[in-house]
Amino acid sequence: MINSYKQLGTKYLKGNMKRTILTLVGIVLSVALISTIGLFMKGSQLSQIENSKKLNGISFHVGISNYDEVILNKVRFNPQIESFGLMSQGDTVPVGDISVRMNFADHHALNFLTYSLLAGKLPTNANEAAIDSWLIPYIKKDLQIGDSFELDGKTYQLVGLLNNSGSAQKDNLGRLLTYKSEFAIGEGRILIEINEKADFNEVLDELKSITEENNIVINTHLIQALKPETNQSLLIILVIVVSIVVISTIVVIYNAFQISIVERMKQFGLLRSIGATRKQIRQIVMKEAAVLAFIAIPIGIVCSLLALAILQAFFWILLDKGTYSFFNIDWKILLISSILTLIAVLVSSYYPAFFAGRISPLLAISSRLSIKKERIKKQNNKVLRKPFSFPLSMAIKNVKRNKNRYVVTILSIIISSVLFITFSSLMNIALSSKFVNDPSKSDLTVYLQKENNVPSENIEFLERLKLIENVSKVSEQDLSFEIELKDTNQSLETVEDIKKTIGKKHSIIVVNNFEENKAKNEEALTIKVLVYAFIVVISLIGSVNILNTITISIMIRRKELAALKSIGMAQRDLKKMIIYESLIYGFSGSLQGIFYGCILSYILYTAASGLFNVEWSIPYNACIITFAAALLISYLSVLLPLRRIQQDNIIDTIREE
């Protein structure tokens, strides 16, 4: 029993579960879209931060050299600086054919160097040391972590291995890192970590003002990853992306409610005729919107988290176990997404509610509100006499006579098309940017040191390299030879074999690219997985949105379609007419979506020109995929409603209220 007019909304939702579910799907997709994009952006930022630290082997933000006590005190007592450490370079010690550079750091500085660690740990006292892994054969044969070795007259315990640098190997200059507690004023340099809550631009300007420009080094790559808002170009891109998503959400939800209102015009007219006020009608619609929002928002959040969990599973499969967790739930993002969706639901349902309140009782009851009277024209076109032309002409007339339904339906297709093209372009920017570092093409590089390039000797050298057990492929590049290994885990042993067998006769430098390649491959793979997973999510949300909108627009016309069958329209012609209508929606919506998508794509490239060195071109692939997918999805979206319409009893459907 209904005790209040406000219960009518809940009663309608329960009595029309199929349409309620379809409307819920639209809101779920909206909240899932906002929260997924927010979490993806957060995950991408975390990925960029970790990759920057791992690739460079450092996590400090600023380094200052040639400092005095005044500068040190300004750094020490600056409340916006989280921590700082001291690090210096010592003498270069010759070890056979190579040299080792001594490096000293205190505890705080060592914390900034943890990402340069390949295995083991960093030293905690002056008797412990970490070295580049490629130095092991030179310092002591079969040296392992935990063993002791002597260098420059002092005995150290090897506690860790540092990642290899190709340039250091080529220069025959390795690193030894050990602990030092006391530093003289001006010795080495200050490594600074800025508080993440601080204004980075303000702190950087302050640090630049206390020393000369050539004495300060800024970790720009890491700072841009930590604080994307410090870069104006990146900030513009973020604003554009968020604006597109919010507008898309409002339009998607508006579509769902507008279609629902159009379907229930007669019901609202009856309520008005028995005394319901405009305000009461609006309150009924707004309450429906609030109920649907509170049901859909948690479901949308769960869908977002599920998408992230699947993405994390891909990371665990594709990358090493040591890879950081992408599945980081940011409750602020989820809360903001929920609030934005709730606001979007209320805002987008306000106009349909306002429209419902203004419905004229007489016009609504007579079902004349949604029908536009057309001027009758005599058509002599012979094309319309062909067998397929009657359903097509009926489809065109149906589209023309209800502009409101046409606009509402193709808006979903336009929004989905714009989202796909825009984010495809954004992902192309990310993939072609400087943030994706290309790894070396080879696992090892052997440089042949000689003044004269003798082809016969090169051929002999090439053949001898091929005989090394773990060597898979060798290619000659001027005075260097690029080597691919059968087992990259045996790269250190292979380097030693090459030096033993070939290094005795020829003057060579062997550079091990394995570790550097591994870091770069992980970075590139991380970005690519994020990119393609993001595109998949956007595509799924867009596809389901189109399916949902077209399905609703067909289902609310069951009575109209039953009337056509009652006056003799064949089931085959009815099916063709509906399919033609859906294809018209897909054709028109996709073309408009492609047009606006290309414009937004160009705006994004213009905004990104200050951050990435990329050139804009029309995204032909994305446009073709969008056009084909829109037609296919539009066709598939009518199959289920058609099956339902075929099973409907004509008389019962016409009598439905």
Side-chain angles (χ1 to χ4, degrees):
M1 182 177 178
I2 298 176
N3 298 319
S4 170
Y5 71 92
K6 293 181 180 180
Q7 295 178 351
L8 288 173
T10 309
K11 190 76 174 176
Y12 170 79
L13 295 177
K14 291 180 180 178
N16 296 270
M17 285 304 296
K18 289 185 179 179
R19 294 180 191 129
T20 300
I21 290 171
L22 289 174
T23 308
L24 272 174
V25 168
I27 303 175
V28 167
L29 290 176
S30 300
V31 66
L33 180 62
I34 294 178
S35 55
T36 301
I37 289 175
L39 293 172
F40 260 76
M41 285 184 173
K42 184 66 177 180
S44 300
Q45 184 191 19
L46 294 174
S47 166
Q48 193 63 47
I49 292 169
E50 292 296 317
N51 286 331
S52 176
K53 292 178 180 179
K54 192 171 182 180
L55 213 60
N56 298 320
I58 54 175
S59 62
F60 63 87
H61 303 145
V62 182
I64 298 178
S65 57
N66 295 327
Y67 61 94
D68 55 21
E69 191 170 358
V70 175
I71 294 175
L72 183 61
N73 286 332
K74 285 184 177 180
V75 171
R76 179 182 286 119
F77 298 113
N78 190 328
Q80 297 192 92
I81 291 178
E82 182 72 23
S83 64
F84 71 94
L86 298 173
M87 181 179 179
S88 66
Q89 288 186 337
D91 297 332
T92 300
V93 181
V95 180
D97 298 332
I98 63 150
S99 300
V100 178
R101 172 79 73 180
M102 307 295 290
N103 292 272
F104 307 95
D106 63 12
H107 284 306
H108 290 294
L110 286 169
N111 288 334
F112 299 141
L113 304 176
T114 54
Y115 287 87
S116 64
L117 198 62
L118 186 63
K121 65 174 186 175
L122 290 175
T124 55
N125 57 65
N127 296 318
E128 296 178 344
I131 63 172
D132 290 342
S133 59
W134 66 274
L135 291 177
I136 290 177
Y138 296 97
I139 293 178
K140 184 179 179 182
K141 187 178 180 180
D142 299 327
L143 180 64
Q144 295 181 352
I145 293 177
D147 295 345
S148 297
F149 66 94
E150 188 175 334
L151 188 68
D152 196 24
K154 184 175 180 179
T155 302
Y156 297 96
Q157 182 186 12
L158 181 65
V159 295
L161 297 176
L162 304 175
N163 52 22
N164 294 323
S165 168
S167 59
Q169 294 177 70
K170 190 175 180 180
D171 295 336
N172 279 334
L173 181 63
R175 294 173 298 169
L176 181 144
L177 177 63
T178 188
Y179 171 77
K180 186 177 181 179
S181 58
E182 299 293 334
F183 289 81
I185 297 297
E187 181 185 355
R189 61 176 175 168
I190 310 171
L191 307 183
I192 300 169
E193 180 187 16
I194 303 172
N195 191 311
E196 289 192 13
K197 296 181 180 179
D199 185 335
F200 271 52
N201 287 332
E202 181 183 330
V203 178
L204 291 174
D205 290 339
E206 187 177 343
L207 292 174
K208 288 176 184 177
S209 67
I210 65 175
T211 187
E212 296 180 7
E213 186 179 350
N214 57 346
N215 291 334
I216 188 168
V217 177
I218 299 173
N219 193 348
T220 307
H221 194 269
L222 178 57
I223 290 175
Q224 285 184 352
L226 279 168
K227 295 287 182 179
E229 65 272 14
T230 59
N231 188 291
Q232 189 174 5
S233 297
L234 193 58
L235 187 61
I236 293 172
I237 293 174
L238 290 174
V239 169
I240 293 173
V241 169
V242 172
S243 300
I244 292 171
V245 172
V246 172
I247 293 171
S248 303
T249 301
I250 292 174
V251 171
V252 168
I253 299 172
Y254 169 81
N255 285 354
F257 281 104
Q258 182 65 17
I259 290 174
S260 175
I261 296 303
V262 170
E263 176 194 10
R264 296 159 58 198
M265 283 181 180
K266 191 170 184 177
Q267 296 177 14
F268 291 130
L270 289 172
L271 288 173
R272 289 294 311 281
S273 68
I274 59 174
T277 65
R278 293 183 177 183
K279 183 179 178 181
Q280 289 174 331
I281 297 294
R282 286 198 298 269
Q283 287 178 341
I284 291 172
V285 177
M286 295 298 288
K287 184 181 179 182
E288 287 180 23
V291 170
L292 290 173
F294 282 109
I295 295 173
I297 287 173
I299 299 174
I301 296 296
V302 171
C303 291
S304 294
L305 297 179
L306 184 61
L308 279 184
I310 295 171
L311 180 61
Q312 182 62 61
F314 276 109
F315 272 100
W316 283 337
I317 293 170
L318 297 175
L319 302 179
D320 289 343
K321 294 179 181 178
T323 303
Y324 78 100
S325 175
F326 180 84
F327 190 75
N328 291 280
I329 301 175
D330 192 319
W331 295 108
K332 289 182 181 178
I333 292 177
L334 296 180
L335 180 61
I336 292 171
S337 302
S338 302
I339 293 172
L340 276 177
T341 305
L342 181 60
I343 294 172
V345 168
L346 296 178
V347 168
S348 55
S349 61
Y350 179 78
Y351 178 75
F354 181 77
F355 175 73
R358 296 187 62 185
I359 290 175
S360 167
L362 293 176
L363 290 177
I365 294 171
S366 62
S367 301
R368 292 172 56 195
L369 276 174
S370 61
I371 300 176
K372 178 183 177 182
K373 187 176 180 180
E374 293 182 89
R375 185 177 297 174
I376 300 174
K377 296 180 181 179
K378 186 177 181 180
Q379 295 180 345
N380 295 319
N381 196 334
K382 295 182 179 180
V383 175
L384 295 179
R385 298 175 185 176
K386 295 183 179 180
F388 69 88
S389 62
F390 173 68
L392 178 59
S393 63
M394 286 292 294
I396 294 172
K397 286 181 179 293
N398 286 334
V399 170
K400 284 182 177 180
R401 74 182 175 86
N402 197 320
K403 291 290 184 182
N404 187 50
R405 185 172 62 211
Y406 169 75
V407 171
V408 167
T409 305
I410 68 163
L411 265 177
S412 293
I413 302 174
I414 292 173
I415 290 295
S416 300
S417 303
V418 167
L419 282 174
F420 180 77
I421 293 173
T422 304
F423 283 105
S424 295
S425 300
L426 189 62
M427 297 306 108
N428 288 334
I429 293 175
L431 288 176
S432 59
S433 71
K434 60 184 178 183
F435 290 112
V436 181
N437 294 287
D438 293 326
S440 174
K441 295 180 180 179
S442 62
D443 299 315
L444 303 178
T445 303
V446 180
Y447 294 93
L448 185 59
Q449 295 180 303
K450 60 180 182 177
E451 295 181 359
N452 298 319
N453 187 9
V454 182
S456 59
E457 290 186 10
N458 288 358
I459 294 172
E460 178 190 352
F461 190 82
L462 186 67
E463 294 301 323
R464 293 187 67 183
L465 283 174
K466 290 180 179 179
L467 295 176
I468 303 295
E469 184 179 353
N470 194 32
V471 172
S472 172
K473 183 180 178 182
V474 184
S475 58
E476 184 180 356
Q477 304 287 337
D478 296 328
L479 290 179
S480 67
F481 296 85
E482 305 293 336
I483 299 174
E484 294 180 18
L485 302 179
K486 297 175 183 176
D487 184 4
T488 53
N489 294 323
Q490 300 295 321
S491 59
L492 291 176
E493 291 80 356
T494 307
V495 170
E496 195 171 350
D497 288 344
I498 292 173
K499 290 178 178 178
K500 284 181 180 178
T501 56
I502 301 176
K504 293 179 179 179
K505 185 177 179 181
H506 300 275
S507 178
I508 62 171
I509 297 175
V510 184
V511 177
N512 189 345
N513 303 314
F514 171 65
E515 294 300 334
E516 207 166 3
N517 286 349
K518 184 180 176 184
K520 289 182 178 180
N521 279 324
E522 284 191 0
E523 181 199 31
L525 186 58
T526 299
I527 293 176
K528 286 178 181 177
V529 169
L530 287 172
V531 165
Y532 293 120
F534 191 73
I535 289 295
V536 168
V537 170
I538 291 294
S539 302
L540 286 175
I541 290 174
S543 301
V544 176
N545 180 35
I546 296 172
L547 282 167
N548 185 42
T549 305
I550 295 182
T551 299
I552 292 176
S553 66
I554 297 297
M555 290 300 295
I556 64 175
R557 295 169 55 206
R558 287 174 56 229
K559 184 182 289 189
E560 172 192 325
L561 298 175
L564 288 174
K565 287 198 290 184
S566 69
I567 60 174
M569 190 172 190
Q571 182 67 44
R572 183 179 178 182
D573 289 338
L574 185 70
K575 181 178 178 181
K576 284 183 179 180
M577 182 190 75
I578 296 173
I579 291 175
Y580 285 143
E581 280 186 44
S582 66
L583 292 178
I584 290 171
Y585 291 141
F587 182 82
S588 177
S590 62
L591 288 183
Q592 294 182 61
I594 288 170
F595 175 74
Y596 294 118
C598 288
I599 291 175
L600 283 172
S601 168
Y602 179 74
I603 293 173
L604 279 176
Y605 271 91
T606 303
S609 59
L611 183 64
F612 306 106
N613 185 21
V614 291
E615 293 183 1
W616 184 81
S617 61
I618 297 175
Y620 291 106
N621 291 336
C623 293
I624 293 171
I625 292 172
T626 299
F627 183 74
L631 292 179
L632 178 62
I633 296 169
S634 299
Y635 172 75
L636 294 176
S637 62
V638 300
L639 297 182
L640 186 62
L642 275 174
R643 185 179 300 177
R644 170 75 186 277
I645 290 167
Q646 287 175 354
Q647 296 172 352
D648 282 345
N649 183 284
I650 296 176
I651 297 175
D652 292 341
T653 304
I654 293 175
R655 286 178 176 176
E656 282 183 1
E657 293 295 333

